[in-house]
Amino acid sequence: MNIVFMGTPDFAVPSLDMLIAEGYNVVGVVTQPDKPQGRKKVLTPTPVKAAAERHGLPVFQPVKLRNPEAVARLAEWKPDLIVTAAFGQILPKAVLDMPVRGCVNVHGSLLPKYRGGAPIQRSIINGEPVTGVTLMYMAEGLDTGDMISRVEVPITDEDTSGSMFIKLSEAGSKLLQEEMPRLIAGETTAVPQDDAEASYARNLTRDDEKLDWSRSSRELFNQIRGLVPFSGAFTMWDDQVFKVWAATNPNHPDAQGTSQTGQTEPGTVLQLGANGIEVSTGSGSLWLTEVQPAGKKVMKAADFGRGGTLKPGTVLR
């Protein structure tokens, strides 16, 4: 049986590696085009492309999969089953109808919650205690297809989007591994999603990265974790971007400081010390532990505080 795999980021690599290790006949891999990265804008292959080349698999990188030429190219592989994981493009009906065993997707949430492109980040930002992976048949809607199986994965206060991407990619690979024999045989049982329970995880924008100090310390803590290690959160200090890469759990005993609420303007630097930089919020205070001033590298907030350029009473905007 011919299998075509579609994916782009690191999240998808364990699923591709599993298919190869289990001896399935992966005839080709579809991934996003190479993109320039870094200050020197070096053209860099996607993690899935790198994995495919490591396995000696042919790779196809269409700018738009819905173009008739791209559909025709994909059809040359004669797929019986298409497996996707964070591919990054919506599959057109011509592709969905192509394989006799259908198109299945490894999605990083417990559907129907968090349909869309940023389910892992949004789950953390919204303070969810648990998320998971859903294996689903693909339909023309955005993550609306029937669900084959799901697995739950807890989110701890120590988790960031980076750590959850790893946990969920591994959980997704195992889920796919368990279902592959039934997918090949056409013996899966799938159930429709309840659209009334659906929510959407839209892609993150610059606005999602801005810290609003009028929010609670817990909400800000979750926001910071949800943006690591990708964009990071930021605030404005002295009219320049001041990035925040880590903060201490506000419920942890080590995080307790002056904890002023309603006594100082949210965003006010309360103190600088061994724990980092304590900032007032709309409810409680938050210790920043890793920061990045404009034009500088990421550093420990305690080290930055000892420099003396940021002083108590400064208001971050």
Side-chain angles (χ1 to χ4, degrees):
M1 176 171 284
N2 293 343
I3 298 172
V4 168
F5 185 85
M6 298 183 179
T8 297
D10 288 315
F11 176 85
V13 173
S15 291
L16 175 59
D17 287 343
M18 180 278 297
L19 291 173
I20 300 301
E22 293 292 307
Y24 291 107
N25 184 36
V26 179
V27 295
V29 171
V30 183
T31 188
Q32 297 276 49
D34 297 355
K35 292 184 178 180
Q37 293 186 2
R39 292 184 177 180
K40 295 184 179 180
K41 302 298 181 182
V42 177
L43 203 61
T44 305
T46 71
V48 164
K49 179 181 180 180
E53 291 179 339
R54 185 174 69 249
H55 292 301
L57 297 173
V59 177
F60 178 38
Q61 296 177 273
V63 175
K64 294 181 179 180
L65 186 57
R66 67 174 178 266
N67 287 345
E69 297 82 3
V71 174
R73 168 77 182 276
L74 180 62
E76 293 176 0
W77 281 334
K78 299 179 180 178
D80 297 299
L81 174 69
I82 292 177
V83 177
T84 74
F87 173 46
Q89 294 189 39
I90 295 177
L91 273 59
K93 189 174 187 302
V95 172
L96 294 173
D97 293 342
M98 192 178 295
V100 66
R101 291 289 185 254
C103 302
V104 297
N105 181 44
V106 180
H107 183 75
S109 82
L110 296 173
L111 292 172
K113 293 183 66 175
Y114 295 105
R115 296 171 176 173
I120 299 173
Q121 298 97 318
R122 295 286 180 193
S123 294
I124 296 175
I125 290 171
N126 291 344
E128 298 284 359
V130 65
T131 183
V133 178
T134 303
L135 185 66
M136 54 174 287
Y137 280 113
M138 300 186 73
E140 290 188 77
L142 181 62
D143 298 324
T144 58
D146 293 351
M147 300 179 295
I148 300 167
S149 58
R150 303 194 306 173
V151 61
E152 293 187 354
V153 179
I155 301 175
T156 72
D157 280 342
E158 288 69 40
D159 279 314
T160 65
S161 284
S163 66
M164 289 307 300
F165 264 78
I166 294 172
K167 291 180 180 181
L168 292 175
S169 67
E170 293 173 350
S173 174
K174 292 179 182 177
L175 195 64
L176 178 63
Q177 181 181 18
E178 293 171 359
E179 292 294 334
M180 277 300 296
R182 287 183 287 274
L183 288 168
I184 294 293
E187 296 174 350
T188 56
T189 300
V191 297
Q193 298 184 40
D194 184 351
D195 290 340
E197 297 182 359
S199 62
Y200 288 87
R202 58 180 176 82
N203 290 327
L204 298 171
T205 68
R206 184 68 168 170
D207 289 340
D208 293 307
E209 300 168 12
K210 180 74 164 62
L211 294 170
D212 177 358
W213 296 106
S214 67
R215 303 178 73 198
S216 71
S217 57
R218 164 55 65 170
E219 290 173 316
L220 293 166
F221 174 68
N222 292 338
Q223 180 183 0
I224 292 166
R225 294 188 301 129
L227 296 167
V228 173
F230 307 106
S231 61
F234 77 93
T235 186
M236 300 301 294
W237 170 49
D238 199 20
D239 294 326
Q240 291 188 311
V241 170
F242 188 71
K243 302 202 80 169
V244 179
W245 289 98
T248 300
N249 174 1
N251 294 337
H252 194 280
D254 291 344
Q256 301 308 310
T258 57
S259 191
Q260 308 224 356
T261 302
Q263 301 177 23
T264 57
E265 180 181 355
T268 300
V269 176
L270 300 174
Q271 61 174 316
L272 301 95
N275 287 340
I277 303 168
E278 187 186 14
V279 183
S280 65
T281 74
S283 176
S285 63
L286 187 66
W287 282 96
L288 313 184
T289 56
E290 288 187 11
V291 298
Q292 185 179 13
K296 304 291 185 179
K297 294 182 179 180
V298 179
M299 65 183 73
K300 296 293 184 182
D303 294 339
F304 175 74
R306 283 192 287 269
T309 54
L310 183 65
K311 300 182 183 301
T314 299
V315 180
L316 304 175
R317 302 292 184 184

